[in-house]
Amino acid sequence: MKHTNTLIKEKSPYLLQHATNPVNWYPWGDEAFYKAKDEDKAVFLSIGYSTCHWCHVMERESFEDKEIAEILNKYFVSIKVDREERPDIDAVYMEVCQTMTGSGGWPMTIIMTPEQKPFFAGTYLPKKNNFGQMGLSELLEYVASMWSRDRKKLISSGDKLMEFLNNKEEGKYQNRDRSVPDILENAFMQYKLSYDDENGGFGTSPKFPTPHNLFFLTSYADIKNDEKARKMVEKTLIQMYRGGIYDHIGGGFCRYSTDNKWLVPHFEKMLYDNALLIYAYAMFLENNKSEDIYRLFSDIISKTVAYVVNELQSKEGAFYCAQDADIDGKEGEFYLLQPKEIYDVLDVGDADNFCREYNIVERGHYEGKSIPNLLNNSSYRFATEFLDTVRSKLIKYRKTRAELFTDDKILTSWNALMVVALSKAGKVLKRETYIKYAKNIVTFIEKYLVGVNGTIFIRWKDGERQHAGLVDDYAFYAWGLLELYQSTLDVNYLIKATEVADIMYEKFSGEENGLFLYSDDTEQLILRPKQYYDGAIPSGNSVAARVFNTLFKLTANKKWQERIKTQYEAIIPQAERYPPAFGYALFAISELGYPKPE
């Protein structure tokens, strides 16, 4: 019988992936920490998610390795956390990792005391020392030795780190007196400096879509009638579509591009990326009258929605988290093509056209194979129309290769973003089907993820809801309800949004401005942060600020005006320091500073 550890009792697909490792993994909880205290061991914490390529690599190299397992089982208590189920734990220890190392990512590796005080942080580690990068086996042996010989040194470094992090939290609330126009113009200048004129997007490689930056720039372009801002957004949206980050055959967007041209992505597809990008394309179309752009962007939206519906929709109408693209450990293998395959699937003439239009070449772009793309194709609109005649054959062929792993848990916050996206796209493109999909998600959330007194839970899986909702869950859900109200004018969605926003304010506000990540009636971690910067998804605080502003405009209730004030007093000093990390906050601030006629 195959060995299993305690993760076998969990529902998270990520934790279940590790349930047969020889490492004696525990889920985050009292049992693991009591064991660490009782056995006087340090805690090894590993955080990741089910469709993360480097998480798979570290599992194969280390966590399935008997030598590493023996060290971990002997000297440590090992805990696995699914960052998507416990974004609070992930956020706290990501703050630790970024403070200690200057960067972060997944898998995240933390070593800490049984009291949860960290003294080592990193991301992916190879099994052995490799070209100057510390290996996991050497690290574990060093820490085990120090734990028995000079534990005070380890604990002292952890204490100093915690003191620094707590002081950092307290220092966030210094106010400044800059006008909203000044803040927005300064932010736009910084975006212009990092904008890639040739390829669209911002910075170099790796290049992330970060749709919330595009929300701000679209809003800024409309407010100021700024053609440069408008062209920055338009080119970025077009180039992402032309690149390999967009799945030309199956629709939908991959996680991010490893190069600056959007050609070679990390191939996993996440629900939240696709939701936010649908919104970005739809938002741009709202005030764009170009027939060519409307035709192209509506096609991108349609195919992205179709991908999400066909591949990620549950039978109850909500949406699963993500889809992997690795086959037998080979990253992106599902999406890569060779000319011979195309000629085997299509007629010669169609195969000639497809290989020419979508750059399928013998030498390939990645691992000797090609990623369909339009980056060197100036007539890409013809290519798009041609592809529609052969797509079904190519989709059918790809599905013969493997059945992609799908993380089938349902998250409130990410589904709320789909409500946002479908409501906006349905309104802009006049697609009642999209509005219906959005309504179905709300029905699901209300039935399965909202508890007594309006309490929201983070996830639903196999008939079980679990984990107290964070500020993101409430803020995103309220945003989704407001978008759905504005697309349907059904006042019940406005009433529900008001109720959700009220509960959010009560649960997450404190004596000072801004909203905490988690409420004071749930598990208390080593930090209780207030997050203002955007990550892959917008900041819950920034979304909450825009929700309060929208509710004030729609209801004229002055309590929302007061809550707007407390949010912006916390957010504006943060957004001023480094605007590109606060795209959604700037989007919200622009609507506050330049209210549209009602």
Side-chain angles (χ1 to χ4, degrees), residues 2 11-12 152 170-171 191 233 243 248 258 295 323-324 330 367 377 394 442 488 511 588:
K2 203 168 187 180
K11 293 186 184 294
S12 155
K152 282 184 181 178
E170 289 167 11
Y191 278 106
V233 178
H248 291 272
T258 60
R295 191 184 307 119
Q323 198 169 52
D324 210 341
K330 293 180 181 178
E367 303 290 337
N377 188 336
L394 294 170
V442 170
T488 62
E511 293 178 6

Side-chain angles (χ1 to χ4, degrees), residues 109-359:
T109 304
I110 304 287
I111 305 180
M112 59 188 178
T113 69
E115 293 74 35
Q116 302 177 18
K117 288 184 179 178
F119 52 81
F120 172 85
T123 53
Y124 161 79
L125 296 170
K127 180 186 172 184
K128 297 284 187 184
N129 289 347
N130 186 20
F131 298 107
Q133 185 179 15
M134 181 185 291
L136 182 60
S137 61
E138 288 83 3
L139 171 67
L140 295 176
E141 285 166 358
Y142 170 75
V143 171
S145 172
M146 286 289 288
W147 188 256
S148 62
R149 289 189 298 105
D150 195 0
R151 188 178 309 181
K152 282 184 181 178
K153 187 174 179 181
L154 293 177
I155 292 174
S156 172
S157 67
D159 287 341
K160 286 175 184 172
L161 174 67
M162 292 313 303
E163 184 181 352
F164 173 79
L165 288 170
N166 282 309
N167 289 338
K168 188 177 170 188
E169 284 296 311
E170 289 167 11
K172 280 183 175 177
Y173 309 106
Q174 300 163 359
N175 213 337
R176 299 186 191 180
D177 293 320
R178 290 275 297 281
S179 69
V180 167
D182 284 348
I183 292 165
L184 298 181
E185 284 172 27
N186 175 57
F188 181 52
M189 284 296 297
Q190 293 205 36
Y191 278 106
K192 280 201 290 188
L193 287 172
S194 64
Y195 177 65
D196 182 342
D197 280 299
E198 183 180 353
N199 303 299
F202 302 90
T204 55
S205 57
K207 193 173 273 185
F208 290 81
T210 324
H212 15 300
N213 288 336
L214 303 180
F215 301 168
F216 161 62
L217 290 168
T218 302
S219 178
Y220 186 87
D222 292 341
I223 288 164
K224 296 281 193 177
N225 195 23
D226 191 298
E227 196 57 27
K228 173 65 176 174
R230 190 171 287 112
K231 287 297 180 187
M232 285 162 67
V233 178
E234 182 180 304
K235 178 149 191 173
T236 299
L237 291 171
I238 289 173
Q239 290 302 109
M240 284 193 293
Y241 159 73
R242 293 177 74 183
I245 191 173
Y246 176 75
D247 178 6
H248 291 272
I249 293 173
F253 289 85
C254 298
R255 180 70 197 88
Y256 65 89
S257 177
T258 60
D259 60 87
N260 67 337
K261 296 179 181 179
W262 307 106
L263 175 59
V264 181
H266 258 313
F267 291 89
E268 67 265 28
K269 289 179 182 174
M270 314 299 292
L271 180 65
Y272 62 80
D273 283 320
N274 284 282
L276 291 166
L277 283 164
I278 290 166
Y279 190 87
Y281 282 94
M283 182 182 176
F284 188 83
L285 282 185
E286 253 185 324
N287 294 307
N288 191 288
K289 307 304 179 191
S290 161
E291 190 177 323
D292 284 345
I293 290 296
Y294 183 88
R295 191 184 307 119
L296 177 63
F297 285 11
S298 61
D299 184 68
I300 296 166
I301 292 168
S302 300
K303 286 173 179 165
T304 302
V305 171
Y307 161 74
V308 174
V309 169
N310 293 335
E311 297 294 328
L312 297 178
Q313 191 176 42
S314 72
K315 65 180 185 294
E316 300 91 352
F319 290 88
Y320 299 138
C321 280
Q323 198 169 52
D324 210 341
D326 290 12
I327 301 176
D328 298 329
K330 293 180 181 178
E331 186 183 7
E333 185 72 9
F334 182 82
Y335 295 113
L336 302 174
L337 293 168
Q338 292 176 310
K340 181 182 183 304
E341 296 173 281
I342 304 302
Y343 283 92
D344 286 344
V345 174
L346 303 179
D347 297 337
V348 173
D350 286 340
D352 285 341
N353 276 337
F354 184 79
C355 289
R356 181 184 67 250
E357 297 293 332
Y358 284 90
N359 194 21

Side-chain angles (χ1 to χ4, degrees), residues 47 122 130 269 486 498:
I47 303 175
N130 186 20
K269 289 179 182 174
Q486 290 173 94
T498 305

Side-chain angles (χ1 to χ4, degrees), residues 231-519:
K231 287 297 180 187
M232 285 162 67
V233 178
E234 182 180 304
K235 178 149 191 173
T236 299
L237 291 171
I238 289 173
Q239 290 302 109
M240 284 193 293
Y241 159 73
R242 293 177 74 183
I245 191 173
Y246 176 75
D247 178 6
H248 291 272
I249 293 173
F253 289 85
C254 298
R255 180 70 197 88
Y256 65 89
S257 177
T258 60
D259 60 87
N260 67 337
K261 296 179 181 179
W262 307 106
L263 175 59
V264 181
H266 258 313
F267 291 89
E268 67 265 28
K269 289 179 182 174
M270 314 299 292
L271 180 65
Y272 62 80
D273 283 320
N274 284 282
L276 291 166
L277 283 164
I278 290 166
Y279 190 87
Y281 282 94
M283 182 182 176
F284 188 83
L285 282 185
E286 253 185 324
N287 294 307
N288 191 288
K289 307 304 179 191
S290 161
E291 190 177 323
D292 284 345
I293 290 296
Y294 183 88
R295 191 184 307 119
L296 177 63
F297 285 11
S298 61
D299 184 68
I300 296 166
I301 292 168
S302 300
K303 286 173 179 165
T304 302
V305 171
Y307 161 74
V308 174
V309 169
N310 293 335
E311 297 294 328
L312 297 178
Q313 191 176 42
S314 72
K315 65 180 185 294
E316 300 91 352
F319 290 88
Y320 299 138
C321 280
Q323 198 169 52
D324 210 341
D326 290 12
I327 301 176
D328 298 329
K330 293 180 181 178
E331 186 183 7
E333 185 72 9
F334 182 82
Y335 295 113
L336 302 174
L337 293 168
Q338 292 176 310
K340 181 182 183 304
E341 296 173 281
I342 304 302
Y343 283 92
D344 286 344
V345 174
L346 303 179
D347 297 337
V348 173
D350 286 340
D352 285 341
N353 276 337
F354 184 79
C355 289
R356 181 184 67 250
E357 297 293 332
Y358 284 90
N359 194 21
I360 309 301
V361 291
E362 289 292 345
R363 65 184 179 278
H365 315 114
Y366 180 76
E367 303 290 337
K369 297 180 181 179
S370 294
I371 302 164
N373 74 91
L374 297 168
L375 291 172
N376 298 321
N377 188 336
S378 58
S379 61
Y380 56 87
R381 287 184 178 85
F382 163 76
T384 302
E385 291 168 7
F386 159 72
L387 180 61
D388 285 342
T389 66
V390 296
R391 270 181 82 230
S392 59
K393 291 180 182 177
L394 294 170
I395 289 170
K396 186 176 179 182
Y397 167 69
R398 285 200 322 193
K399 284 183 178 291
T400 64
R401 293 174 153 186
E403 187 172 340
L404 292 181
F405 169 78
T406 299
D407 186 319
D408 61 352
K409 64 181 181 292
I410 292 168
L411 299 177
T412 301
S413 59
W414 297 7
N415 273 269
L417 291 176
M418 277 306 296
V419 177
V420 168
L422 291 164
S423 299
K424 174 69 84 175
K427 179 183 174 186
V428 171
L429 300 182
K430 298 180 172 56
R431 304 269 174 87
E432 282 300 318
T433 309
Y434 295 178
I435 303 293
K436 183 181 175 184
Y437 291 149
K439 289 178 177 178
N440 289 343
I441 299 171
V442 170
T443 300
F444 181 94
I445 290 173
E446 288 295 320
K447 183 175 180 180
Y448 296 111
L449 284 157
V450 176
V452 180
N453 300 323
T455 301
I456 292 175
F457 291 81
I458 289 177
R459 77 108 167 104
W460 174 268
K461 176 79 167 67
D462 295 340
E464 176 195 77
R465 65 186 178 201
Q466 191 64 272
H467 310 303
L470 306 184
V471 69
D472 292 10
D473 296 287
Y474 289 82
F476 295 178
Y477 187 36
W479 179 22
L481 290 164
L482 287 171
E483 290 285 353
L484 190 51
Y485 165 68
Q486 290 173 94
S487 297
T488 62
L489 298 182
D490 182 340
V491 74
N492 290 305
Y493 294 120
L494 176 60
I495 293 167
K496 174 53 67 177
T498 305
E499 291 169 356
V500 172
D502 269 329
I503 295 168
M504 172 174 67
Y505 189 78
E506 289 163 15
K507 289 180 80 70
F508 299 99
S509 62
E511 293 178 6
E512 296 183 7
N513 297 330
L515 301 174
F516 288 105
L517 177 64
Y518 57 87
S519 65

